[in-house]
Amino acid sequence: MTFFEARAYFGIDGIPDCLEPYYAEDPPLPILDRAWLSEQCEACGVSGENTARLTSALDALQSDPALLSFTNFLIRQQCQRHLRLDASYIDLGPCKIMTRETRDFYPMLVMLGCIRPATEGYLARGIDESVFAQTVERMLSSVLRRYGKTGDPHVSFEWQSGFFSCALLQFSRFYFAPHRYDDGITILKNRITGEVIALLPDEDDVYIRHSDGQYNGIAGIREPDAFHAVRADTDDAFIGHPIDPIGCGSEQIVMLPKSEWEVCVHEGDAFLALHIPGGEGYDPEHLRQSAQDAIAFYDRFIPEYRIRGIWSESWLYDPHLRKILPPNSKIIRMQDQMYCMPFAWGEPTIHGELIEHDPPTSLERTVADYEAAGGTFSTNFMFILREDVGRIGADERVYPQLML
């Protein structure tokens, strides 16, 4: 079978087309040891009944040579896709050729099947097990304990599989994963002063609101007079709409001489995507240490990446938060370390990320009051160039606001 024939035959959603060039019929080797899986379930408090359901699904998968071969291919790709800096994620759904009782277990089993090949690949690179073991074990425990509590085998494959395939690693306070820069925004650096300016992309559908510098239509707010962003280069200058580092696009057009400015980030450059676990320590000091540790790790063990900096997408980088939070709050102090950017797909995610408390926290009350008064939010992304990571936590902004 070809890749597309196999994908259709097994009826597994969430397998991107970009895997087709790597397709081969892998040997139908077992993906998990049944005894190991039972031991892990027992350690995590999974009942005998639920352990039997999970191991029965494993038996069903591993007894079908064709499905097992395709599953080995998927596991191999999940363990390699971040090393290739693939832009598309694998987000497996149930395997529809399995029985009704076992099909929903498929994504979890594939995820768990990533542990052995991913960790062996890292050990072969000379990476100490301590770098990834705790992260893998923590997510393994989380997945199995949740399953033991609810009996529901569904997982968030796109997100959680990154831990099992060692794409996501924790350095000090934060998690990082390799990421290919493909945001279409031009990032320039002054050859003399080191100043950094980002310019909005020139695309037919890039319209920016005057009111807050965000993409028109985000959060359902559409301004009829939103301005169309343009980008044009001459032999002598870069021309476009600058983005203020607080995360807002500007209507003013700038012309930056090529004798003084140069492109410092290119499409396809490798960044480290920052992921933020809950808890204490969301502050510039922990960010600096984590970023330095992460860059040093990839420079040593996967130097072919040539890491260009740190990248992230979150509601925490929303410039609207500056209207409701004091300048010395942790969220705003962290924004001051970053070059924040408007996001074309920046629909607000703040309510999905904020944990509801009873009674509400001061942040929850402030957010509710702001929205009640007509305010809206957005999701933004940010970058920090690697040469600027050491400046995180200084008294002044890493990327000063533009003075146009």
Side-chain angles (χ1 to χ4, degrees), residues 112-219:
L112 300 180
C114 290
I115 296 175
R116 180 180 53 79
T119 55
E120 287 178 352
Y122 270 35
L123 290 171
R125 287 178 174 265
I127 299 172
D128 190 274
E129 189 174 3
S130 63
V131 173
F132 55 81
Q134 187 178 28
T135 299
V136 172
E137 290 168 4
R138 187 184 300 122
M139 184 53 69
L140 174 62
S141 175
S142 174
V143 168
L144 290 181
R145 288 185 185 280
R146 179 190 175 278
Y147 170 64
K149 183 178 180 179
T150 66
D152 182 356
H154 292 90
V155 295
S156 177
F157 188 92
E158 179 179 344
W159 164 243
Q160 292 175 313
S161 61
F163 294 90
F164 294 106
S165 61
C166 295
L168 273 161
L169 296 175
Q170 186 168 19
F171 297 92
S172 182
R173 172 63 176 80
F174 299 98
Y175 291 103
F176 295 87
H179 169 81
R180 186 184 298 278
Y181 181 82
D182 60 354
D183 294 300
I185 288 173
T186 305
I187 302 176
L188 305 170
K189 174 170 280 195
N190 190 289
R191 304 173 192 269
I192 302 168
T193 66
E195 180 184 3
V196 175
I197 291 182
L199 303 178
L200 288 167
D202 179 15
E203 298 174 0
D204 291 342
D205 56 350
V206 176
Y207 285 83
I208 305 296
R209 296 190 298 236
H210 295 279
S211 60
D212 59 3
Q214 304 305 298
Y215 280 72
N216 205 28
I218 294 298

